[in-house]
Amino acid sequence: HIYSGVSLTGNTSLLSGLNSNDWKITNGAIVLRYLPTPSSAPGVPIFVLETETTGVYGNLSLNYSLVDASMSTLTLGSGTYANLGIAGQATYNINNTTDAGTYSIKYLSGLSLSGTAASGYSLYAYPRNYVIDKAPLKVFANNDAKFQGQSDSNGYAGVSYSGFVNGQSSSVLGGNLQITRSINGPDGNLTASNDSVGTYTGALMPSGLTSNNYIITNVAGNYSVIPPNQLLVHVTNPLKTRSEER
């Protein structure tokens, strides 16, 4: 619908053709729903509408479309908008450091209209829901070993991490890290004592860590029991083969 010379104030009901999901009556004025109060900038409103609805913590996907009051997508540089362009980088009320959760995303600033027709238009935000999912994080139990007859070391060889974002480390995790060892015997002889000489594949399992921003996957490590007459070397800072944070 195109209205010419029709007042948007002093109304008690919406004009014919206006969708009540997008428009409402406020103090007698017909205004768009969910929008902030327009600034004093003059011109026909162009709305910055975020087209993505989900992203992952630390790596958000953000893209926008420009729409008019009827939510129709605008193509600048052609047709009605041949003399109108846009430049800049849009910033929003959420970013890569925003915690996982559901938000009403809104354009804040960073874009500017250009071209000979720019003075006739103004940019506004159009909020919509945006879900930030947790980022994946793996916790690896480091491989460990001992001499036969010795007690298992407290905490074994610790853990390594893969997946932290925003320069973070294990300091952002909650809970209490635990590493437990299977009671089974070594590979090929699971019913034997777990102090038997041999390799115990996947015997060490981490657990106990929590996070609001990461989905944690615990990955088992291997354990070995070495005969007393062999050499056992513990490496305290092994090469990081998984882009791990230690």
Side-chain angles (χ1 to χ4, degrees):
H1 290 257
I2 299 176
Y3 296 97
S4 177
V6 176
S7 175
L8 296 182
T9 60
N11 293 278
T12 58
S13 62
L14 294 179
L15 298 174
S16 174
L18 295 183
N19 190 326
S20 61
N21 291 324
D22 299 323
W23 298 86
K24 64 180 180 178
I25 301 290
T26 300
N27 297 324
I30 299 176
V31 297
L32 281 165
R33 291 183 179 274
Y34 315 121
L35 292 176
T37 302
S39 70
S40 57
V44 176
I46 292 178
F47 300 101
V48 180
L49 175 68
E50 174 58 34
T51 56
E52 303 289 340
T53 57
T54 60
V56 177
Y57 173 70
N59 188 27
L60 300 188
S61 297
L62 298 172
N63 293 290
Y64 67 87
S65 288
L66 300 177
V67 298
D68 61 18
S70 65
M71 297 295 103
S72 297
T73 302
L74 308 182
T75 302
L76 304 190
S78 66
T80 303
Y81 305 97
N83 297 316
L84 190 62
I86 194 165
Q89 183 71 37
T91 59
Y92 300 87
N93 61 321
I94 62 174
N95 55 48
N96 283 331
T97 64
T98 304
D99 291 338
T102 300
Y103 299 87
S104 176
I105 185 172
K106 295 185 293 185
Y107 161 75
L108 294 181
S109 63
L111 299 176
S112 59
L113 295 172
S114 61
T116 58
S119 62
Y121 298 88
S122 297
L123 292 174
Y124 298 99
Y126 195 98
R128 69 183 310 182
N129 282 346
Y130 190 98
V131 177
I132 301 179
D133 295 321
K134 294 182 179 183
L137 176 70
K138 289 184 177 181
V139 179
F140 298 87
N142 294 326
N143 297 336
D144 199 8
K146 71 166 187 173
F147 285 117
Q148 188 179 34
Q150 285 186 332
S151 298
D152 292 9
S153 59
N154 184 37
Y156 296 95
V159 296
S160 299
Y161 304 89
S162 178
F164 282 119
V165 298
N166 296 329
Q168 294 176 337
S169 68
S170 57
S171 64
V172 301
L173 301 179
N176 295 294
L177 174 65
Q178 297 181 351
I179 303 174
T180 56
R181 181 184 164 207
S182 170
I183 63 174
N184 292 332
D187 297 356
N189 192 10
L190 298 181
T191 59
S193 164
N194 72 349
D195 192 46
S196 301
V197 171
T199 299
Y200 297 70
T201 301
L204 300 177
M205 179 59 72
S207 64
L209 294 175
T210 62
S211 175
N212 292 327
N213 290 321
Y214 293 97
I215 296 177
I216 297 175
T217 299
N218 295 304
V219 182
N222 300 331
Y223 197 71
S224 297
V225 176
I226 309 298
N229 61 348
Q230 293 188 8
L231 178 66
L232 175 60
V233 177
H234 282 280
V235 179
T236 58
N237 188 22
L239 293 176
K240 301 175 183 178
T241 58
R242 309 186 192 99
S243 298
E244 296 162 352
E245 180 279 338
R246 295 184 58 82

Coordinates of all heavy atoms in Angstrom, one line a residue, residues 205-245:
M205 N 40.5 -41.3 31.9 CA 39.4 -40.5 31.5 C 39.2 -39.2 32.3 O 39.0 -39.3 33.5 CB 38.1 -41.3 31.5 CG 36.8 -40.5 31.1 SD 36.9 -39.9 29.4 CE 36.8 -41.4 28.5
P206 N 39.2 -38.0 31.7 CA 39.0 -36.8 32.4 C 37.5 -36.6 32.6 O 36.7 -37.0 31.8 CB 39.6 -35.7 31.5 CG 39.5 -36.3 30.2 CD 39.6 -37.8 30.3
S207 N 37.1 -35.8 33.6 CA 35.7 -35.4 33.9 C 35.7 -34.3 34.8 O 36.7 -33.9 35.4 CB 35.0 -36.6 34.4 OG 35.5 -37.0 35.7
G208 N 34.5 -33.8 35.1 CA 34.3 -32.8 36.1 C 34.3 -31.3 35.8 O 33.9 -30.5 36.6
L209 N 34.8 -31.0 34.6 CA 34.8 -29.6 34.2 C 33.5 -29.1 33.6 O 32.8 -29.9 32.9 CB 36.0 -29.3 33.2 CG 37.4 -29.6 33.7 CD1 38.4 -29.4 32.6 CD2 37.7 -28.6 34.9
T210 N 33.2 -27.9 33.8 CA 31.9 -27.3 33.3 C 32.1 -26.0 32.7 O 33.1 -25.3 32.9 CB 30.9 -27.2 34.5 OG1 31.4 -26.3 35.4 CG2 30.6 -28.5 35.1
S211 N 31.2 -25.5 31.9 CA 31.3 -24.2 31.2 C 29.9 -23.8 30.7 O 29.1 -24.6 30.2 CB 32.3 -24.2 30.1 OG 32.3 -23.0 29.4
N212 N 29.7 -22.5 30.8 CA 28.5 -21.9 30.2 C 28.7 -21.6 28.7 O 27.7 -21.3 28.0 CB 28.1 -20.6 30.9 CG 27.6 -20.8 32.4 OD1 27.0 -21.9 32.7 ND2 27.9 -19.9 33.3
N213 N 29.9 -21.5 28.3 CA 30.2 -21.1 26.9 C 30.8 -22.2 26.0 O 31.0 -22.0 24.8 CB 31.1 -19.9 26.9 CG 30.4 -18.6 27.4 OD1 29.2 -18.4 27.1 ND2 31.1 -17.8 28.1
Y214 N 31.1 -23.4 26.6 CA 31.7 -24.4 25.9 C 31.0 -25.8 26.1 O 30.5 -26.1 27.2 CB 33.2 -24.7 26.3 CG 34.1 -23.5 26.0 CD1 34.4 -22.6 26.9 CD2 34.7 -23.4 24.7 CE1 35.3 -21.5 26.6 CE2 35.5 -22.4 24.4 CZ 35.8 -21.4 25.3 OH 36.7 -20.4 25.0
I215 N 30.8 -26.5 25.0 CA 30.4 -27.9 25.1 C 31.6 -28.8 25.2 O 32.4 -28.8 24.3 CB 29.6 -28.3 23.8 CG1 28.3 -27.5 23.7 CG2 29.2 -29.8 23.9 CD1 27.5 -27.8 22.5
I216 N 31.8 -29.4 26.4 CA 33.0 -30.1 26.7 C 32.9 -31.6 26.3 O 31.9 -32.3 26.6 CB 33.3 -30.0 28.2 CG1 33.6 -28.5 28.5 CG2 34.5 -30.8 28.5 CD1 33.8 -28.3 30.0
T217 N 33.9 -32.0 25.5 CA 34.0 -33.5 25.2 C 35.3 -34.0 25.8 O 36.4 -33.4 25.6 CB 34.1 -33.7 23.7 OG1 32.9 -33.2 23.1 CG2 34.2 -35.1 23.3
N218 N 35.2 -35.0 26.7 CA 36.3 -35.6 27.3 C 36.9 -36.7 26.5 O 36.1 -37.6 26.0 CB 35.9 -36.1 28.7 CG 35.5 -35.0 29.6 OD1 36.2 -34.0 29.9 ND2 34.3 -35.1 30.2
V219 N 38.2 -36.7 26.3 CA 38.9 -37.7 25.5 C 39.9 -38.5 26.3 O 40.7 -37.9 27.0 CB 39.6 -37.0 24.3 CG1 40.3 -38.1 23.4 CG2 38.7 -36.1 23.5
A220 N 39.7 -39.8 26.2 CA 40.6 -40.7 27.1 C 42.0 -40.7 26.6 O 42.3 -40.5 25.4 CB 40.0 -42.1 27.0
G221 N 42.9 -40.9 27.6 CA 44.3 -41.1 27.3 C 44.8 -42.5 27.6 O 44.1 -43.3 28.3
N222 N 46.0 -42.8 27.2 CA 46.5 -44.2 27.4 C 47.4 -44.2 28.6 O 48.0 -43.2 29.1 CB 47.3 -44.6 26.2 CG 46.5 -44.6 24.9 OD1 45.3 -44.9 25.0 ND2 47.1 -44.4 23.8
Y223 N 47.5 -45.4 29.2 CA 48.4 -45.6 30.4 C 49.3 -46.8 30.1 O 48.9 -47.8 29.4 CB 47.5 -45.9 31.6 CG 48.2 -45.7 32.9 CD1 48.6 -44.4 33.3 CD2 48.5 -46.8 33.7 CE1 49.3 -44.3 34.6 CE2 49.2 -46.7 34.9 CZ 49.5 -45.4 35.3 OH 50.2 -45.2 36.5
S224 N 50.5 -46.8 30.7 CA 51.4 -47.9 30.5 C 52.0 -48.3 31.9 O 52.3 -47.4 32.7 CB 52.5 -47.6 29.6 OG 52.0 -47.3 28.3
V225 N 52.2 -49.6 32.1 CA 52.9 -50.1 33.2 C 54.2 -50.7 32.7 O 54.1 -51.6 31.9 CB 52.0 -51.1 34.0 CG1 52.8 -51.7 35.2 CG2 50.7 -50.5 34.6
I226 N 55.3 -50.2 33.3 CA 56.6 -50.6 32.7 C 57.3 -51.5 33.7 O 57.2 -51.3 35.0 CB 57.5 -49.3 32.6 CG1 56.7 -48.2 31.8 CG2 58.8 -49.6 31.9 CD1 56.4 -48.7 30.4
P227 N 58.0 -52.5 33.2 CA 58.8 -53.4 34.1 C 59.8 -52.6 34.9 O 60.4 -51.6 34.4 CB 59.5 -54.4 33.2 CG 58.6 -54.4 32.0 CD 58.1 -53.0 31.8
P228 N 60.2 -52.9 36.1 CA 61.1 -52.1 37.0 C 62.5 -52.0 36.4 O 63.2 -51.0 36.7 CB 61.1 -52.9 38.3 CG 59.9 -53.7 38.3 CD 59.6 -54.0 36.9
N229 N 62.9 -52.9 35.5 CA 64.2 -52.8 34.9 C 64.4 -52.0 33.7 O 65.4 -52.1 33.0 CB 64.8 -54.3 34.7 CG 63.9 -55.0 33.7 OD1 62.8 -54.5 33.3 ND2 64.4 -56.2 33.2
Q230 N 63.3 -51.2 33.3 CA 63.4 -50.4 32.1 C 63.4 -48.9 32.5 O 63.1 -48.6 33.6 CB 62.2 -50.7 31.2 CG 62.2 -52.1 30.6 CD 61.1 -52.2 29.6 OE1 60.4 -51.3 29.2 NE2 60.9 -53.5 29.1
L231 N 63.8 -48.1 31.5 CA 63.9 -46.7 31.7 C 62.5 -46.0 31.4 O 61.9 -46.3 30.4 CB 64.9 -46.1 30.8 CG 65.1 -44.5 30.9 CD1 65.6 -44.1 32.3 CD2 66.1 -44.1 29.8
L232 N 62.1 -45.2 32.3 CA 60.8 -44.4 32.1 C 61.1 -43.0 32.2 O 61.6 -42.4 33.2 CB 59.8 -44.8 33.2 CG 58.5 -44.0 33.2 CD1 57.7 -44.2 31.9 CD2 57.6 -44.4 34.4
V233 N 60.8 -42.2 31.1 CA 61.0 -40.8 31.0 C 59.7 -40.1 30.9 O 58.9 -40.4 30.0 CB 61.9 -40.4 29.8 CG1 62.1 -38.9 29.7 CG2 63.2 -41.2 29.9
H234 N 59.4 -39.2 31.8 CA 58.2 -38.4 31.8 C 58.6 -37.0 31.1 O 59.5 -36.3 31.6 CB 57.7 -38.1 33.2 CG 56.9 -39.2 33.8 ND1 55.6 -39.5 33.4 CD2 57.3 -40.2 34.7 CE1 55.2 -40.6 34.1 NE2 56.2 -41.0 34.8
V235 N 57.9 -36.7 30.1 CA 58.1 -35.4 29.4 C 57.1 -34.4 30.0 O 55.9 -34.6 29.8 CB 57.9 -35.5 27.9 CG1 58.1 -34.2 27.2 CG2 59.0 -36.5 27.3
T236 N 57.5 -33.3 30.6 CA 56.6 -32.4 31.3 C 55.9 -31.4 30.3 O 54.9 -30.8 30.6 CB 57.4 -31.6 32.3 OG1 58.4 -30.9 31.7 CG2 57.9 -32.6 33.4
N237 N 56.5 -31.2 29.1 CA 55.9 -30.2 28.2 C 56.0 -30.7 26.8 O 56.9 -30.3 26.0 CB 56.6 -28.8 28.3 CG 55.9 -27.8 27.5 OD1 54.7 -27.9 27.3 ND2 56.6 -26.7 27.2
P238 N 55.2 -31.8 26.4 CA 55.3 -32.4 25.1 C 54.9 -31.4 24.0 O 54.3 -30.4 24.3 CB 54.4 -33.5 25.2 CG 53.3 -33.1 26.2 CD 54.1 -32.3 27.2
L239 N 55.4 -31.7 22.8 CA 54.9 -30.9 21.6 C 53.4 -30.9 21.5 O 52.7 -31.9 21.8 CB 55.5 -31.5 20.4 CG 57.1 -31.5 20.2 CD1 57.5 -32.2 18.9 CD2 57.5 -30.0 20.2
K240 N 52.9 -29.8 21.2 CA 51.4 -29.6 21.1 C 51.0 -29.9 19.7 O 51.1 -29.2 18.7 CB 51.0 -28.2 21.4 CG 51.5 -27.8 22.8 CD 51.2 -26.3 23.1 CE 51.7 -25.9 24.5 NZ 51.5 -24.5 24.8
T241 N 50.4 -31.1 19.5 CA 50.1 -31.6 18.2 C 48.6 -31.4 17.9 O 48.2 -31.6 16.8 CB 50.3 -33.1 18.1 OG1 49.6 -33.8 19.1 CG2 51.8 -33.4 18.2
R242 N 47.8 -30.8 18.8 CA 46.4 -30.6 18.6 C 46.0 -29.1 18.8 O 44.9 -28.8 19.0 CB 45.6 -31.4 19.6 CG 45.9 -32.9 19.7 CD 44.8 -33.5 20.7 NE 45.2 -34.8 21.0 CZ 45.8 -35.1 22.2 NH1 46.1 -34.2 23.1 NH2 46.1 -36.4 22.5
S243 N 47.0 -28.2 18.6 CA 46.8 -26.8 18.9 C 46.2 -26.6 20.3 O 45.2 -25.9 20.5 CB 45.8 -26.2 17.9 OG 46.3 -26.3 16.6
E244 N 46.8 -27.3 21.2 CA 46.2 -27.4 22.6 C 46.7 -26.2 23.4 O 47.8 -25.7 23.2 CB 46.7 -28.7 23.2 CG 46.1 -30.0 22.5 CD 47.0 -31.2 22.9 OE1 48.0 -31.0 23.6 OE2 46.5 -32.3 22.6
E245 N 45.9 -25.9 24.4 CA 46.3 -25.0 25.4 C 46.5 -25.8 26.7 O 45.7 -26.6 27.0 CB 45.2 -23.9 25.7 CG 45.5 -22.9 26.8 CD 45.3 -23.4 28.2 OE1 44.5 -24.4 28.3 OE2 45.9 -22.8 29.1

